[in-house]
Each structure stands twice: as structure tokens, then as C-alpha cells.
Amino acid sequence: MEGSKLKAARLLEQMSAHLATDAGKEIANKVGFVYQLNISPKKMGVDEEIFVVDLKKGAVSTGKYEGTPDASFTFTDDDFLAIASGKLNPQMAFIRGKLKIKGSISAAQKFTPDIFPKPAKL
């Protein structure tokens, strides 16, 4: 995640550390899905960086997932942060075209702000 210009990378670094805690392990056990995040700086699909949030193993990594993730999301950096912080409802983001989803809808529905650590300051 180092070298990334995305604001989302900082949140995902915090999430990686959070997943190592007891609270993070509890979230991983409760959700148990693998999410691939395709995040673009400004326009969806342009210069995107790919991150994997593996809530089966409790890890966050960069690059495509080896195999098939339970759900893949495509969004811009700002929209991802709005969803992760709870300022933008994931369902509304999808309806408005700010979020694209591939894969399991039931897995996608568990992708909520609750799985992210509450940052003191971004």
C-alpha cells in the first residue's frame, strides 16, 4: 500500500492493523468473505489500484486476488471513503452508479461501514 496516491490506501493500512486485533478478528469471523476493491483516483476504471480485503484470513493486500473473490467493487477514491465512513450508503452508491459490483450480492451486502475501523483522523 506504500507508494499509493490514494487516500483509501491509508484507511486500508489502518484496516490491516485493525484486523490483527481481537475486534478485527471478530469482524473477520462474522463476515468471512473476500472482497476485491478496484479504486480509481478520479474516474472509475482509469488508473485504478487494486486491493484485497480478505475477511477469511483477516488480511489486506494489494494486487488482484488469486482466484475468484466473493465480491468485487469498483469505485473512486472519494466514493470509497464516503462509503467506508458511513457518509454514503452502499446501496444508494450502487443505484447512483458510484459503485459497481461483481460477484455475490449476499457477500456484497455485508460490505458495510461496520467492517472498517473508526479512524481518529484521516
Side-chain angles (χ1 to χ4, degrees), residues 62-103:
T62 56
K64 287 190 175 196
Y65 182 66
E66 299 290 326
T68 305
D70 294 300
S72 294
F73 300 99
T74 302
F75 28 38
T76 64
D77 197 21
D78 290 337
D79 291 337
F80 168 73
L81 290 174
I83 290 168
S85 66
K87 292 178 183 162
L88 177 62
N89 179 301
Q91 287 86 359
M92 288 307 298
F94 178 75
I95 291 167
R96 293 180 184 158
K98 293 178 176 246
L99 167 64
K100 293 183 182 175
I101 302 171
K102 285 184 186 170

PDB file of all heavy atoms in Angstrom, residues 62-103:
ATOM      1  N   THR A  62      -2.392  -5.729  -1.598  1.00  0.00           N
ATOM      2  CA  THR A  62      -2.546  -5.038  -2.877  1.00  0.00           C
ATOM      3  C   THR A  62      -2.452  -6.059  -4.002  1.00  0.00           C
ATOM      4  O   THR A  62      -1.885  -7.129  -3.830  1.00  0.00           O
ATOM      5  CB  THR A  62      -1.454  -3.966  -3.071  1.00  0.00           C
ATOM      6  OG1 THR A  62      -0.176  -4.585  -2.952  1.00  0.00           O
ATOM      7  CG2 THR A  62      -1.568  -2.862  -2.045  1.00  0.00           C
ATOM      8  N   GLY A  63      -3.011  -5.707  -5.139  1.00  0.00           N
ATOM      9  CA  GLY A  63      -2.979  -6.595  -6.304  1.00  0.00           C
ATOM     10  C   GLY A  63      -4.226  -7.447  -6.379  1.00  0.00           C
ATOM     11  O   GLY A  63      -5.001  -7.536  -5.429  1.00  0.00           O
ATOM     12  N   LYS A  64      -4.415  -8.062  -7.543  1.00  0.00           N
ATOM     13  CA  LYS A  64      -5.604  -8.898  -7.762  1.00  0.00           C
ATOM     14  C   LYS A  64      -5.595 -10.113  -6.843  1.00  0.00           C
ATOM     15  O   LYS A  64      -4.546 -10.624  -6.490  1.00  0.00           O
ATOM     16  CB  LYS A  64      -5.656  -9.361  -9.221  1.00  0.00           C
ATOM     17  CG  LYS A  64      -6.034  -8.269 -10.169  1.00  0.00           C
ATOM     18  CD  LYS A  64      -6.316  -8.825 -11.543  1.00  0.00           C
ATOM     19  CE  LYS A  64      -6.805  -7.695 -12.417  1.00  0.00           C
ATOM     20  NZ  LYS A  64      -7.435  -8.125 -13.621  1.00  0.00           N
ATOM     21  N   TYR A  65      -6.792 -10.573  -6.514  1.00  0.00           N
ATOM     22  CA  TYR A  65      -6.953 -11.761  -5.686  1.00  0.00           C
ATOM     23  C   TYR A  65      -6.647 -12.999  -6.513  1.00  0.00           C
ATOM     24  O   TYR A  65      -7.062 -13.103  -7.667  1.00  0.00           O
ATOM     25  CB  TYR A  65      -8.382 -11.814  -5.140  1.00  0.00           C
ATOM     26  CG  TYR A  65      -8.641 -12.979  -4.226  1.00  0.00           C
ATOM     27  CD1 TYR A  65      -7.998 -13.073  -2.999  1.00  0.00           C
ATOM     28  CD2 TYR A  65      -9.519 -13.994  -4.585  1.00  0.00           C
ATOM     29  CE1 TYR A  65      -8.231 -14.142  -2.157  1.00  0.00           C
ATOM     30  CE2 TYR A  65      -9.759 -15.067  -3.745  1.00  0.00           C
ATOM     31  CZ  TYR A  65      -9.112 -15.135  -2.530  1.00  0.00           C
ATOM     32  OH  TYR A  65      -9.338 -16.201  -1.693  1.00  0.00           O
ATOM     33  N   GLU A  66      -5.900 -13.918  -5.935  1.00  0.00           N
ATOM     34  CA  GLU A  66      -5.611 -15.189  -6.603  1.00  0.00           C
ATOM     35  C   GLU A  66      -6.855 -16.050  -6.501  1.00  0.00           C
ATOM     36  O   GLU A  66      -7.207 -16.515  -5.432  1.00  0.00           O
ATOM     37  CB  GLU A  66      -4.433 -15.891  -5.911  1.00  0.00           C
ATOM     38  CG  GLU A  66      -3.134 -15.121  -5.937  1.00  0.00           C
ATOM     39  CD  GLU A  66      -2.515 -15.037  -7.320  1.00  0.00           C
ATOM     40  OE1 GLU A  66      -2.653 -15.999  -8.105  1.00  0.00           O
ATOM     41  OE2 GLU A  66      -1.906 -14.001  -7.617  1.00  0.00           O
ATOM     42  N   GLY A  67      -7.527 -16.238  -7.600  1.00  0.00           N
ATOM     43  CA  GLY A  67      -8.780 -16.977  -7.594  1.00  0.00           C
ATOM     44  C   GLY A  67      -9.926 -16.014  -7.840  1.00  0.00           C
ATOM     45  O   GLY A  67      -9.760 -14.971  -8.455  1.00  0.00           O
ATOM     46  N   THR A  68     -11.096 -16.355  -7.317  1.00  0.00           N
ATOM     47  CA  THR A  68     -12.272 -15.518  -7.509  1.00  0.00           C
ATOM     48  C   THR A  68     -12.715 -14.960  -6.165  1.00  0.00           C
ATOM     49  O   THR A  68     -13.057 -15.723  -5.263  1.00  0.00           O
ATOM     50  CB  THR A  68     -13.429 -16.343  -8.124  1.00  0.00           C
ATOM     51  OG1 THR A  68     -12.958 -16.942  -9.328  1.00  0.00           O
ATOM     52  CG2 THR A  68     -14.618 -15.466  -8.425  1.00  0.00           C
ATOM     53  N   PRO A  69     -12.722 -13.633  -6.018  1.00  0.00           N
ATOM     54  CA  PRO A  69     -13.219 -13.052  -4.755  1.00  0.00           C
ATOM     55  C   PRO A  69     -14.732 -13.249  -4.641  1.00  0.00           C
ATOM     56  O   PRO A  69     -15.420 -13.457  -5.647  1.00  0.00           O
ATOM     57  CB  PRO A  69     -12.858 -11.568  -4.884  1.00  0.00           C
ATOM     58  CG  PRO A  69     -12.758 -11.323  -6.346  1.00  0.00           C
ATOM     59  CD  PRO A  69     -12.300 -12.614  -6.966  1.00  0.00           C
ATOM     60  N   ASP A  70     -15.242 -13.192  -3.418  1.00  0.00           N
ATOM     61  CA  ASP A  70     -16.690 -13.329  -3.222  1.00  0.00           C
ATOM     62  C   ASP A  70     -17.439 -12.172  -3.879  1.00  0.00           C
ATOM     63  O   ASP A  70     -18.513 -12.348  -4.422  1.00  0.00           O
ATOM     64  CB  ASP A  70     -17.020 -13.402  -1.728  1.00  0.00           C
ATOM     65  CG  ASP A  70     -16.453 -14.669  -1.104  1.00  0.00           C
ATOM     66  OD1 ASP A  70     -16.834 -15.768  -1.552  1.00  0.00           O
ATOM     67  OD2 ASP A  70     -15.614 -14.567  -0.202  1.00  0.00           O
ATOM     68  N   ALA A  71     -16.844 -10.972  -3.817  1.00  0.00           N
ATOM     69  CA  ALA A  71     -17.437  -9.801  -4.469  1.00  0.00           C
ATOM     70  C   ALA A  71     -16.323  -8.828  -4.833  1.00  0.00           C
ATOM     71  O   ALA A  71     -15.338  -8.698  -4.107  1.00  0.00           O
ATOM     72  CB  ALA A  71     -18.449  -9.123  -3.554  1.00  0.00           C
ATOM     73  N   SER A  72     -16.500  -8.159  -5.971  1.00  0.00           N
ATOM     74  CA  SER A  72     -15.560  -7.122  -6.415  1.00  0.00           C
ATOM     75  C   SER A  72     -16.319  -5.813  -6.517  1.00  0.00           C
ATOM     76  O   SER A  72     -17.454  -5.783  -6.992  1.00  0.00           O
ATOM     77  CB  SER A  72     -14.978  -7.450  -7.789  1.00  0.00           C
ATOM     78  OG  SER A  72     -14.186  -8.594  -7.733  1.00  0.00           O
ATOM     79  N   PHE A  73     -15.670  -4.755  -6.073  1.00  0.00           N
ATOM     80  CA  PHE A  73     -16.269  -3.422  -6.122  1.00  0.00           C
ATOM     81  C   PHE A  73     -15.371  -2.499  -6.918  1.00  0.00           C
ATOM     82  O   PHE A  73     -14.150  -2.559  -6.794  1.00  0.00           O
ATOM     83  CB  PHE A  73     -16.420  -2.842  -4.711  1.00  0.00           C
ATOM     84  CG  PHE A  73     -17.277  -3.672  -3.813  1.00  0.00           C
ATOM     85  CD1 PHE A  73     -16.717  -4.543  -2.902  1.00  0.00           C
ATOM     86  CD2 PHE A  73     -18.658  -3.577  -3.866  1.00  0.00           C
ATOM     87  CE1 PHE A  73     -17.498  -5.309  -2.059  1.00  0.00           C
ATOM     88  CE2 PHE A  73     -19.454  -4.345  -3.031  1.00  0.00           C
ATOM     89  CZ  PHE A  73     -18.883  -5.209  -2.132  1.00  0.00           C
ATOM     90  N   THR A  74     -15.975  -1.624  -7.696  1.00  0.00           N
ATOM     91  CA  THR A  74     -15.239  -0.603  -8.429  1.00  0.00           C
ATOM     92  C   THR A  74     -15.838   0.743  -8.053  1.00  0.00           C
ATOM     93  O   THR A  74     -17.059   0.930  -8.139  1.00  0.00           O
ATOM     94  CB  THR A  74     -15.367  -0.824  -9.956  1.00  0.00           C
ATOM     95  OG1 THR A  74     -14.878  -2.135 -10.265  1.00  0.00           O
ATOM     96  CG2 THR A  74     -14.564   0.203 -10.730  1.00  0.00           C
ATOM     97  N   PHE A  75     -14.978   1.655  -7.598  1.00  0.00           N
ATOM     98  CA  PHE A  75     -15.422   2.996  -7.258  1.00  0.00           C
ATOM     99  C   PHE A  75     -14.241   3.953  -7.254  1.00  0.00           C
ATOM    100  O   PHE A  75     -13.095   3.538  -7.408  1.00  0.00           O
ATOM    101  CB  PHE A  75     -16.144   3.096  -5.918  1.00  0.00           C
ATOM    102  CG  PHE A  75     -15.776   2.090  -4.862  1.00  0.00           C
ATOM    103  CD1 PHE A  75     -14.475   1.655  -4.677  1.00  0.00           C
ATOM    104  CD2 PHE A  75     -16.740   1.593  -4.024  1.00  0.00           C
ATOM    105  CE1 PHE A  75     -14.151   0.743  -3.688  1.00  0.00           C
ATOM    106  CE2 PHE A  75     -16.421   0.677  -3.028  1.00  0.00           C
ATOM    107  CZ  PHE A  75     -15.136   0.255  -2.864  1.00  0.00           C
ATOM    108  N   THR A  76     -14.541   5.256  -7.073  1.00  0.00           N
ATOM    109  CA  THR A  76     -13.470   6.253  -6.989  1.00  0.00           C
ATOM    110  C   THR A  76     -12.995   6.325  -5.541  1.00  0.00           C
ATOM    111  O   THR A  76     -13.684   5.874  -4.618  1.00  0.00           O
ATOM    112  CB  THR A  76     -13.943   7.649  -7.434  1.00  0.00           C
ATOM    113  OG1 THR A  76     -14.947   8.100  -6.520  1.00  0.00           O
ATOM    114  CG2 THR A  76     -14.482   7.642  -8.865  1.00  0.00           C
ATOM    115  N   ASP A  77     -11.844   6.922  -5.361  1.00  0.00           N
ATOM    116  CA  ASP A  77     -11.239   7.089  -4.041  1.00  0.00           C
ATOM    117  C   ASP A  77     -12.209   7.784  -3.082  1.00  0.00           C
ATOM    118  O   ASP A  77     -12.471   7.306  -1.978  1.00  0.00           O
ATOM    119  CB  ASP A  77      -9.944   7.901  -4.208  1.00  0.00           C
ATOM    120  CG  ASP A  77      -9.012   7.806  -3.015  1.00  0.00           C
ATOM    121  OD1 ASP A  77      -9.126   6.852  -2.223  1.00  0.00           O
ATOM    122  OD2 ASP A  77      -8.136   8.692  -2.893  1.00  0.00           O
ATOM    123  N   ASP A  78     -12.771   8.918  -3.517  1.00  0.00           N
ATOM    124  CA  ASP A  78     -13.669   9.686  -2.643  1.00  0.00           C
ATOM    125  C   ASP A  78     -14.943   8.920  -2.305  1.00  0.00           C
ATOM    126  O   ASP A  78     -15.413   8.964  -1.170  1.00  0.00           O
ATOM    127  CB  ASP A  78     -14.021  11.037  -3.289  1.00  0.00           C
ATOM    128  CG  ASP A  78     -12.827  11.988  -3.314  1.00  0.00           C
ATOM    129  OD1 ASP A  78     -11.892  11.825  -2.499  1.00  0.00           O
ATOM    130  OD2 ASP A  78     -12.829  12.905  -4.163  1.00  0.00           O
ATOM    131  N   ASP A  79     -15.501   8.206  -3.284  1.00  0.00           N
ATOM    132  CA  ASP A  79     -16.719   7.433  -3.023  1.00  0.00           C
ATOM    133  C   ASP A  79     -16.440   6.271  -2.067  1.00  0.00           C
ATOM    134  O   ASP A  79     -17.255   5.975  -1.197  1.00  0.00           O
ATOM    135  CB  ASP A  79     -17.341   6.920  -4.322  1.00  0.00           C
ATOM    136  CG  ASP A  79     -17.934   8.047  -5.167  1.00  0.00           C
ATOM    137  OD1 ASP A  79     -18.264   9.105  -4.601  1.00  0.00           O
ATOM    138  OD2 ASP A  79     -18.040   7.859  -6.395  1.00  0.00           O
ATOM    139  N   PHE A  80     -15.275   5.633  -2.213  1.00  0.00           N
ATOM    140  CA  PHE A  80     -14.906   4.552  -1.290  1.00  0.00           C
ATOM    141  C   PHE A  80     -14.824   5.094   0.140  1.00  0.00           C
ATOM    142  O   PHE A  80     -15.363   4.493   1.070  1.00  0.00           O
ATOM    143  CB  PHE A  80     -13.568   3.919  -1.685  1.00  0.00           C
ATOM    144  CG  PHE A  80     -13.015   3.020  -0.616  1.00  0.00           C
ATOM    145  CD1 PHE A  80     -13.588   1.788  -0.369  1.00  0.00           C
ATOM    146  CD2 PHE A  80     -11.949   3.420   0.173  1.00  0.00           C
ATOM    147  CE1 PHE A  80     -13.104   0.955   0.637  1.00  0.00           C
ATOM    148  CE2 PHE A  80     -11.454   2.601   1.178  1.00  0.00           C
ATOM    149  CZ  PHE A  80     -12.036   1.372   1.409  1.00  0.00           C
ATOM    150  N   LEU A  81     -14.152   6.232   0.315  1.00  0.00           N
ATOM    151  CA  LEU A  81     -14.021   6.807   1.657  1.00  0.00           C
ATOM    152  C   LEU A  81     -15.385   7.194   2.231  1.00  0.00           C
ATOM    153  O   LEU A  81     -15.629   7.016   3.422  1.00  0.00           O
ATOM    154  CB  LEU A  81     -13.084   8.016   1.631  1.00  0.00           C
ATOM    155  CG  LEU A  81     -11.614   7.669   1.392  1.00  0.00           C
ATOM    156  CD1 LEU A  81     -10.788   8.933   1.226  1.00  0.00           C
ATOM    157  CD2 LEU A  81     -11.049   6.824   2.514  1.00  0.00           C
ATOM    158  N   ALA A  82     -16.272   7.712   1.382  1.00  0.00           N
ATOM    159  CA  ALA A  82     -17.610   8.079   1.845  1.00  0.00           C
ATOM    160  C   ALA A  82     -18.385   6.848   2.301  1.00  0.00           C
ATOM    161  O   ALA A  82     -19.081   6.872   3.326  1.00  0.00           O
ATOM    162  CB  ALA A  82     -18.365   8.816   0.738  1.00  0.00           C
ATOM    163  N   ILE A  83     -18.255   5.748   1.574  1.00  0.00           N
ATOM    164  CA  ILE A  83     -18.926   4.500   1.959  1.00  0.00           C
ATOM    165  C   ILE A  83     -18.316   3.953   3.246  1.00  0.00           C
ATOM    166  O   ILE A  83     -19.025   3.579   4.178  1.00  0.00           O
ATOM    167  CB  ILE A  83     -18.852   3.462   0.821  1.00  0.00           C
ATOM    168  CG1 ILE A  83     -19.740   3.896  -0.347  1.00  0.00           C
ATOM    169  CG2 ILE A  83     -19.273   2.067   1.322  1.00  0.00           C
ATOM    170  CD1 ILE A  83     -19.527   3.101  -1.621  1.00  0.00           C
ATOM    171  N   ALA A  84     -16.995   3.903   3.316  1.00  0.00           N
ATOM    172  CA  ALA A  84     -16.305   3.341   4.484  1.00  0.00           C
ATOM    173  C   ALA A  84     -16.586   4.143   5.750  1.00  0.00           C
ATOM    174  O   ALA A  84     -16.660   3.580   6.847  1.00  0.00           O
ATOM    175  CB  ALA A  84     -14.809   3.277   4.225  1.00  0.00           C
ATOM    176  N   SER A  85     -16.772   5.456   5.611  1.00  0.00           N
ATOM    177  CA  SER A  85     -17.011   6.297   6.787  1.00  0.00           C
ATOM    178  C   SER A  85     -18.489   6.386   7.152  1.00  0.00           C
ATOM    179  O   SER A  85     -18.844   6.978   8.164  1.00  0.00           O
ATOM    180  CB  SER A  85     -16.453   7.701   6.546  1.00  0.00           C
ATOM    181  OG  SER A  85     -17.171   8.342   5.504  1.00  0.00           O
ATOM    182  N   GLY A  86     -19.355   5.817   6.306  1.00  0.00           N
ATOM    183  CA  GLY A  86     -20.772   5.838   6.590  1.00  0.00           C
ATOM    184  C   GLY A  86     -21.492   7.064   6.050  1.00  0.00           C
ATOM    185  O   GLY A  86     -22.691   7.249   6.285  1.00  0.00           O
ATOM    186  N   LYS A  87     -20.798   7.925   5.318  1.00  0.00           N
ATOM    187  CA  LYS A  87     -21.416   9.133   4.763  1.00  0.00           C
ATOM    188  C   LYS A  87     -22.227   8.833   3.509  1.00  0.00           C
ATOM    189  O   LYS A  87     -23.082   9.619   3.121  1.00  0.00           O
ATOM    190  CB  LYS A  87     -20.345  10.181   4.452  1.00  0.00           C
ATOM    191  CG  LYS A  87     -19.693  10.729   5.690  1.00  0.00           C
ATOM    192  CD  LYS A  87     -18.604  11.714   5.351  1.00  0.00           C
ATOM    193  CE  LYS A  87     -17.920  12.178   6.629  1.00  0.00           C
ATOM    194  NZ  LYS A  87     -16.635  12.770   6.377  1.00  0.00           N
ATOM    195  N   LEU A  88     -21.935   7.697   2.855  1.00  0.00           N
ATOM    196  CA  LEU A  88     -22.653   7.300   1.651  1.00  0.00           C
ATOM    197  C   LEU A  88     -23.105   5.858   1.822  1.00  0.00           C
ATOM    198  O   LEU A  88     -22.292   4.969   2.080  1.00  0.00           O
ATOM    199  CB  LEU A  88     -21.731   7.433   0.420  1.00  0.00           C
ATOM    200  CG  LEU A  88     -22.291   6.997  -0.930  1.00  0.00           C
ATOM    201  CD1 LEU A  88     -23.514   7.835  -1.318  1.00  0.00           C
ATOM    202  CD2 LEU A  88     -21.219   7.127  -2.009  1.00  0.00           C
ATOM    203  N   ASN A  89     -24.400   5.639   1.697  1.00  0.00           N
ATOM    204  CA  ASN A  89     -24.973   4.309   1.820  1.00  0.00           C
ATOM    205  C   ASN A  89     -24.548   3.474   0.604  1.00  0.00           C
ATOM    206  O   ASN A  89     -24.707   3.936  -0.528  1.00  0.00           O
ATOM    207  CB  ASN A  89     -26.499   4.457   1.887  1.00  0.00           C
ATOM    208  CG  ASN A  89     -27.208   3.139   1.985  1.00  0.00           C
ATOM    209  OD1 ASN A  89     -27.070   2.285   1.111  1.00  0.00           O
ATOM    210  ND2 ASN A  89     -27.979   2.982   3.040  1.00  0.00           N
ATOM    211  N   PRO A  90     -23.991   2.261   0.802  1.00  0.00           N
ATOM    212  CA  PRO A  90     -23.544   1.448  -0.335  1.00  0.00           C
ATOM    213  C   PRO A  90     -24.642   1.163  -1.361  1.00  0.00           C
ATOM    214  O   PRO A  90     -24.387   1.179  -2.558  1.00  0.00           O
ATOM    215  CB  PRO A  90     -23.055   0.152   0.307  1.00  0.00           C
ATOM    216  CG  PRO A  90     -22.764   0.497   1.725  1.00  0.00           C
ATOM    217  CD  PRO A  90     -23.702   1.611   2.079  1.00  0.00           C
ATOM    218  N   GLN A  91     -25.878   0.939  -0.888  1.00  0.00           N
ATOM    219  CA  GLN A  91     -26.972   0.681  -1.822  1.00  0.00           C
ATOM    220  C   GLN A  91     -27.278   1.914  -2.667  1.00  0.00           C
ATOM    221  O   GLN A  91     -27.515   1.810  -3.872  1.00  0.00           O
ATOM    222  CB  GLN A  91     -28.249   0.232  -1.074  1.00  0.00           C
ATOM    223  CG  GLN A  91     -28.163  -1.168  -0.534  1.00  0.00           C
ATOM    224  CD  GLN A  91     -27.508  -1.250   0.839  1.00  0.00           C
ATOM    225  OE1 GLN A  91     -27.077  -0.255   1.417  1.00  0.00           O
ATOM    226  NE2 GLN A  91     -27.405  -2.452   1.374  1.00  0.00           N
ATOM    227  N   MET A  92     -27.259   3.092  -2.046  1.00  0.00           N
ATOM    228  CA  MET A  92     -27.506   4.329  -2.790  1.00  0.00           C
ATOM    229  C   MET A  92     -26.367   4.592  -3.769  1.00  0.00           C
ATOM    230  O   MET A  92     -26.593   5.062  -4.877  1.00  0.00           O
ATOM    231  CB  MET A  92     -27.671   5.523  -1.835  1.00  0.00           C
ATOM    232  CG  MET A  92     -28.975   5.503  -1.063  1.00  0.00           C
ATOM    233  SD  MET A  92     -30.458   5.330  -2.093  1.00  0.00           S
ATOM    234  CE  MET A  92     -30.381   6.788  -3.091  1.00  0.00           C
ATOM    235  N   ALA A  93     -25.140   4.279  -3.357  1.00  0.00           N
ATOM    236  CA  ALA A  93     -23.987   4.459  -4.252  1.00  0.00           C
ATOM    237  C   ALA A  93     -24.155   3.583  -5.490  1.00  0.00           C
ATOM    238  O   ALA A  93     -23.883   4.023  -6.610  1.00  0.00           O
ATOM    239  CB  ALA A  93     -22.691   4.102  -3.528  1.00  0.00           C
ATOM    240  N   PHE A  94     -24.638   2.366  -5.300  1.00  0.00           N
ATOM    241  CA  PHE A  94     -24.862   1.448  -6.413  1.00  0.00           C
ATOM    242  C   PHE A  94     -25.955   1.983  -7.341  1.00  0.00           C
ATOM    243  O   PHE A  94     -25.791   2.023  -8.563  1.00  0.00           O
ATOM    244  CB  PHE A  94     -25.232   0.053  -5.886  1.00  0.00           C
ATOM    245  CG  PHE A  94     -25.524  -0.939  -6.966  1.00  0.00           C
ATOM    246  CD1 PHE A  94     -24.490  -1.494  -7.710  1.00  0.00           C
ATOM    247  CD2 PHE A  94     -26.820  -1.318  -7.264  1.00  0.00           C
ATOM    248  CE1 PHE A  94     -24.750  -2.411  -8.725  1.00  0.00           C
ATOM    249  CE2 PHE A  94     -27.096  -2.225  -8.264  1.00  0.00           C
ATOM    250  CZ  PHE A  94     -26.050  -2.772  -8.996  1.00  0.00           C
ATOM    251  N   ILE A  95     -27.051   2.421  -6.764  1.00  0.00           N
ATOM    252  CA  ILE A  95     -28.174   2.942  -7.553  1.00  0.00           C
ATOM    253  C   ILE A  95     -27.750   4.171  -8.355  1.00  0.00           C
ATOM    254  O   ILE A  95     -28.146   4.341  -9.505  1.00  0.00           O
ATOM    255  CB  ILE A  95     -29.378   3.256  -6.632  1.00  0.00           C
ATOM    256  CG1 ILE A  95     -29.965   1.951  -6.101  1.00  0.00           C
ATOM    257  CG2 ILE A  95     -30.438   4.081  -7.365  1.00  0.00           C
ATOM    258  CD1 ILE A  95     -30.948   2.122  -4.962  1.00  0.00           C
ATOM    259  N   ARG A  96     -26.926   5.024  -7.762  1.00  0.00           N
ATOM    260  CA  ARG A  96     -26.474   6.251  -8.428  1.00  0.00           C
ATOM    261  C   ARG A  96     -25.325   6.018  -9.403  1.00  0.00           C
ATOM    262  O   ARG A  96     -24.846   6.951 -10.023  1.00  0.00           O
ATOM    263  CB  ARG A  96     -26.028   7.269  -7.386  1.00  0.00           C
ATOM    264  CG  ARG A  96     -27.143   7.794  -6.539  1.00  0.00           C
ATOM    265  CD  ARG A  96     -26.627   8.785  -5.538  1.00  0.00           C
ATOM    266  NE  ARG A  96     -27.683   9.228  -4.662  1.00  0.00           N
ATOM    267  CZ  ARG A  96     -27.487   9.743  -3.468  1.00  0.00           C
ATOM    268  NH1 ARG A  96     -26.249   9.875  -3.004  1.00  0.00           N
ATOM    269  NH2 ARG A  96     -28.494  10.129  -2.725  1.00  0.00           N
ATOM    270  N   GLY A  97     -24.836   4.773  -9.506  1.00  0.00           N
ATOM    271  CA  GLY A  97     -23.750   4.473 -10.435  1.00  0.00           C
ATOM    272  C   GLY A  97     -22.373   4.830  -9.906  1.00  0.00           C
ATOM    273  O   GLY A  97     -21.398   4.852 -10.646  1.00  0.00           O
ATOM    274  N   LYS A  98     -22.266   5.083  -8.593  1.00  0.00           N
ATOM    275  CA  LYS A  98     -20.975   5.423  -7.990  1.00  0.00           C
ATOM    276  C   LYS A  98     -20.228   4.174  -7.527  1.00  0.00           C
ATOM    277  O   LYS A  98     -19.102   4.250  -7.079  1.00  0.00           O
ATOM    278  CB  LYS A  98     -21.181   6.358  -6.795  1.00  0.00           C
ATOM    279  CG  LYS A  98     -21.706   7.717  -7.194  1.00  0.00           C
ATOM    280  CD  LYS A  98     -21.947   8.580  -5.975  1.00  0.00           C
ATOM    281  CE  LYS A  98     -22.380   9.960  -6.379  1.00  0.00           C
ATOM    282  NZ  LYS A  98     -21.408  10.955  -6.023  1.00  0.00           N
ATOM    283  N   LEU A  99     -20.882   3.030  -7.636  1.00  0.00           N
ATOM    284  CA  LEU A  99     -20.321   1.760  -7.180  1.00  0.00           C
ATOM    285  C   LEU A  99     -20.763   0.668  -8.145  1.00  0.00           C
ATOM    286  O   LEU A  99     -21.946   0.556  -8.454  1.00  0.00           O
ATOM    287  CB  LEU A  99     -20.849   1.466  -5.760  1.00  0.00           C
ATOM    288  CG  LEU A  99     -20.669   0.072  -5.183  1.00  0.00           C
ATOM    289  CD1 LEU A  99     -19.195  -0.256  -5.005  1.00  0.00           C
ATOM    290  CD2 LEU A  99     -21.375  -0.030  -3.848  1.00  0.00           C
ATOM    291  N   LYS A 100     -19.790  -0.115  -8.612  1.00  0.00           N
ATOM    292  CA  LYS A 100     -20.101  -1.270  -9.457  1.00  0.00           C
ATOM    293  C   LYS A 100     -19.760  -2.523  -8.673  1.00  0.00           C
ATOM    294  O   LYS A 100     -18.741  -2.570  -7.990  1.00  0.00           O
ATOM    295  CB  LYS A 100     -19.302  -1.214 -10.756  1.00  0.00           C
ATOM    296  CG  LYS A 100     -19.716  -0.071 -11.654  1.00  0.00           C
ATOM    297  CD  LYS A 100     -18.951  -0.087 -12.946  1.00  0.00           C
ATOM    298  CE  LYS A 100     -19.346   1.106 -13.806  1.00  0.00           C
ATOM    299  NZ  LYS A 100     -18.561   1.196 -15.021  1.00  0.00           N
ATOM    300  N   ILE A 101     -20.609  -3.527  -8.795  1.00  0.00           N
ATOM    301  CA  ILE A 101     -20.434  -4.767  -8.038  1.00  0.00           C
ATOM    302  C   ILE A 101     -20.410  -5.948  -8.999  1.00  0.00           C
ATOM    303  O   ILE A 101     -21.232  -6.030  -9.901  1.00  0.00           O
ATOM    304  CB  ILE A 101     -21.586  -4.973  -7.034  1.00  0.00           C
ATOM    305  CG1 ILE A 101     -21.680  -3.790  -6.073  1.00  0.00           C
ATOM    306  CG2 ILE A 101     -21.415  -6.283  -6.275  1.00  0.00           C
ATOM    307  CD1 ILE A 101     -22.927  -3.814  -5.206  1.00  0.00           C
ATOM    308  N   LYS A 102     -19.456  -6.864  -8.760  1.00  0.00           N
ATOM    309  CA  LYS A 102     -19.432  -8.146  -9.465  1.00  0.00           C
ATOM    310  C   LYS A 102     -19.357  -9.221  -8.401  1.00  0.00           C
ATOM    311  O   LYS A 102     -18.686  -9.068  -7.395  1.00  0.00           O
ATOM    312  CB  LYS A 102     -18.190  -8.256 -10.357  1.00  0.00           C
ATOM    313  CG  LYS A 102     -18.250  -7.454 -11.620  1.00  0.00           C
ATOM    314  CD  LYS A 102     -17.027  -7.719 -12.465  1.00  0.00           C
ATOM    315  CE  LYS A 102     -16.989  -6.812 -13.661  1.00  0.00           C
ATOM    316  NZ  LYS A 102     -15.718  -6.878 -14.358  1.00  0.00           N
ATOM    317  N   GLY A 103     -20.038 -10.332  -8.655  1.00  0.00           N
ATOM    318  CA  GLY A 103     -19.964 -11.447  -7.714  1.00  0.00           C
ATOM    319  C   GLY A 103     -21.229 -11.593  -6.900  1.00  0.00           C
ATOM    320  O   GLY A 103     -22.311 -11.180  -7.307  1.00  0.00           O
TER     321      GLY A 103
END
